[in-house]
């Protein structure tokens, strides 16, 4: 099945009881049993719910995995996956990882005895140097947020498996339309489905797919034990969102590319970060391991004051956290999504006060460029 067909037909289609073409929202917590323990496969909705199950089958197929799991948020998905680790274990993780991921690793899992080393995973030497005899997993975000650094998933997977480490990839930015980490050797792929998968800024959720029955069993156990699951209404919204994932990503990609080229040529912009530009350090790698470059881009306007001035002038870019929706969003990572990262660390990473991040939407690309032009001028 080609990707555009897959987003429509993968997973569970419709409903066998009524013929309903849309997967119904099974708004129920429990299920009638014909006799004690004799069920139709569902007994309690924390454990399993048909609408959520349809979504889990869908993400499994989109990511070419052995099993899929849905969670109540991206952070719930990430936290549940990290619960595979034991006290005393060590994790190697991308240094400009999503702010919330940094926080949960640094403030919660560290307290529970799970150590982490944050490294620039786009440099294989740095990953190599971080391995200790307690390391159990490597966690990548690629492209990263907000600097769009690219890590070689295939090479990292080879390295991880030589050292008996799990490879976990946060695929939120690339989406299962453009990038398939499990095909490249990763063991676990996860998403903040709040972003491109939902696609309409109306649901918070997380998704996971795994490449083995063993991992499926372990994650399934954690999912049911911890219970950080989404309700059926949110599961349904995600199934609906996926139907247009291909169309949205194609349009977003086109707009993002045009905007990146416009910004690069503008005298008031000191730097543009977009993997689709030939001068981006990860360009060739991004081209090799993903079908597209996505809709996230960042650019530097030199100072926090300049950034503030631009933000009040734009009309079509909504000032908001989050990303990946039909409408274009604009943010200042240093003061918003990445505010929980201490300033010295932020500056060291290149997340300056003048860095502006765009999540490009599906509006007319010319309108978006005109808007940025008047705001910059
Ligand atoms: C938003 C985001 C998360 C966290 O997801 P939530 O749904 O907000 O909990 C994790 N990783 C990345 C890359 C994100 O953008």
């Amino acid at each position: 099945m080609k990707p555009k067909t897959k987003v429509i037909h993968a997973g569970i289609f419709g409903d066998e009881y009524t013929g309903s073409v849309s997967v119904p929202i099974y708004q129920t917590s429990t299920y009638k049993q014909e006799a004690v323990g004799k069920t139709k496969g569902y007994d309690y909705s924390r454990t399993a719910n048909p609408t959520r199950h349809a979504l889990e089958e869908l993400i499994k197929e989109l990511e070419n995995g052995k099993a899929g799991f849905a969670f109540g948020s991206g952070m719930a998905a990430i936290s549940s996956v990290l619960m595979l680790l034991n006290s005393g274990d060590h994790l190697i993780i991308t240094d400009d990882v999503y702010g919330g991921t940094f926080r949960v690793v640094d403030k919660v899992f560290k307290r529970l005895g799970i150590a982490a080393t944050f490294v620039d995973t786009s440099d294989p030497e740095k990953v190599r140097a971080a391995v200790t005899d307690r390391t159990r997993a490597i966690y990548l975000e690629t492209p990263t947020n907000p600097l769009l650094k690219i890590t070689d998933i295939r090479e990292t997977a080879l390295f991880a498996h030589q050292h008996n480490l799990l490879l976990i990839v946060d695929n939120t930015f690339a989406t299962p339309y453009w990038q398939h980490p499990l095909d490249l050797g990763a063991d676990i792929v996860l998403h903040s489905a709040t972003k491109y998968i939902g696609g309409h800024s109306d649901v918070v959720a997380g998704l996971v797919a795994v490449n083995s029955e063993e991992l499926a069993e372990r994650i399934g156990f954690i999912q049911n034990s911890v219970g950080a699951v989404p309700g059926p209404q949110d599961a349904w919204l995600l199934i609906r969102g996926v139907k247009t994932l291909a169309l949205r990503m194609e349009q977003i990609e086109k707009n993002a590319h045009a905007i990146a080229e416009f910004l690069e040529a503008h005298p008031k912009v000191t730097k543009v970060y977009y993997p689709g530009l030939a001068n981006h350090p990860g360009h060739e790698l991004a081209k090799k391991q993903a079908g597209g470059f996505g809709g996230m881009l960042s650019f530097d306007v030199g100072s926090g004051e300049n950034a503030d001035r631009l933000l009040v002038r734009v009309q079509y870019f909504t000032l908001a956290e989050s990303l990946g929706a039909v409408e274009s969003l604009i943010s200042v990572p240093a003061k918003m999504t990445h505010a929980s990262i201490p300033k010295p660390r932020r500056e060291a990473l290149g997340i300056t006060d003048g860095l502006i991040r765009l999540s490009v939407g599906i509006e007319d690309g010319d309108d978006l460029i005109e808007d940025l032009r008047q705001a910059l001028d």
Side-chain angles (χ1 to χ4, degrees), residues 73-75 78 98 101 141 170 172-173 192 194-195 204-205 323:
S73 68
M75 290 318 304
I78 291 165
Y98 176 72
T101 307
E141 213 175 285
D170 181 333
T172 302
F173 271 35
S192 169
T194 312
K195 316 297 167 55
V204 171
L323 60 104

Side-chain angles (χ1 to χ4, degrees), residues 90-95 117-132 135 138 140 149 151 155-156 159 165 348-349:
H90 171 250
L91 173 72
I92 297 171
I93 178 163
T94 303
D95 59 359
T117 306
F118 291 84
V119 300
D120 179 354
T121 50
S122 68
D123 180 349
E125 278 314 311
K126 296 216 170 105
V127 175
R128 205 173 295 276
V131 175
T132 73
T135 308
I138 301 175
L140 302 181
K149 278 198 259 181
T151 295
E155 194 178 313
T156 312
F159 176 78
L165 313 176
L349 294 170

Side-chain angles (χ1 to χ4, degrees), residues 71-251:
F71 294 90
S73 68
M75 290 318 304
I78 291 165
S79 302
S80 299
V81 164
L82 291 178
M83 284 177 198
L84 291 168
L85 300 176
N86 295 312
S87 175
D89 287 354
H90 171 250
L91 173 72
I92 297 171
I93 178 163
T94 303
D95 59 359
D96 61 342
V97 80
Y98 176 72
T101 307
F102 174 77
R103 180 172 53 201
V104 81
V105 169
D106 189 55
K107 295 284 190 301
V108 179
F109 284 97
K110 195 159 119 189
R111 187 162 55 68
L112 301 177
I114 293 159
T117 306
F118 291 84
V119 300
D120 179 354
T121 50
S122 68
D123 180 349
E125 278 314 311
K126 296 216 170 105
V127 175
R128 205 173 295 276
V131 175
T132 73
D133 57 4
R134 312 220 69 150
T135 308
R136 294 291 174 268
I138 301 175
Y139 181 109
L140 302 181
E141 213 175 285
T142 181
T144 61
N145 177 18
L147 296 177
L148 293 312
K149 278 198 259 181
I150 310 289
T151 295
D152 192 326
I153 299 173
R154 192 186 293 279
E155 194 178 313
T156 312
L158 284 172
F159 176 78
H161 296 150
Q162 278 163 9
H163 291 78
N164 241 336
L165 313 176
L166 278 178
L167 179 62
I168 305 162
V169 178
D170 181 333
N171 203 29
T172 302
F173 271 35
T175 79
Y177 182 65
W178 292 131
Q179 180 167 276
H180 300 102
L182 300 183
D183 290 351
L184 299 168
D187 301 288
I188 301 174
V189 57
L190 57 87
H191 290 273
S192 169
T194 312
K195 316 297 167 55
Y196 290 105
I197 291 180
H200 295 73
S201 304
D202 53 13
V203 57
V204 171
L207 292 171
V208 171
V210 300
N211 73 347
S212 74
E213 299 297 342
E214 190 232 330
L215 279 171
E217 203 165 299
R218 291 172 65 199
I219 301 267
F221 184 83
I222 292 169
Q223 184 197 39
N224 186 36
S225 304
V226 175
V229 294
Q233 175 90 31
D234 285 354
W236 182 85
L237 279 168
L238 294 181
I239 295 169
R240 188 167 78 158
V242 166
K243 301 284 181 206
T244 56
L245 181 66
L247 289 176
R248 286 187 282 115
M249 293 319 293
E250 296 284 351
Q251 175 70 18

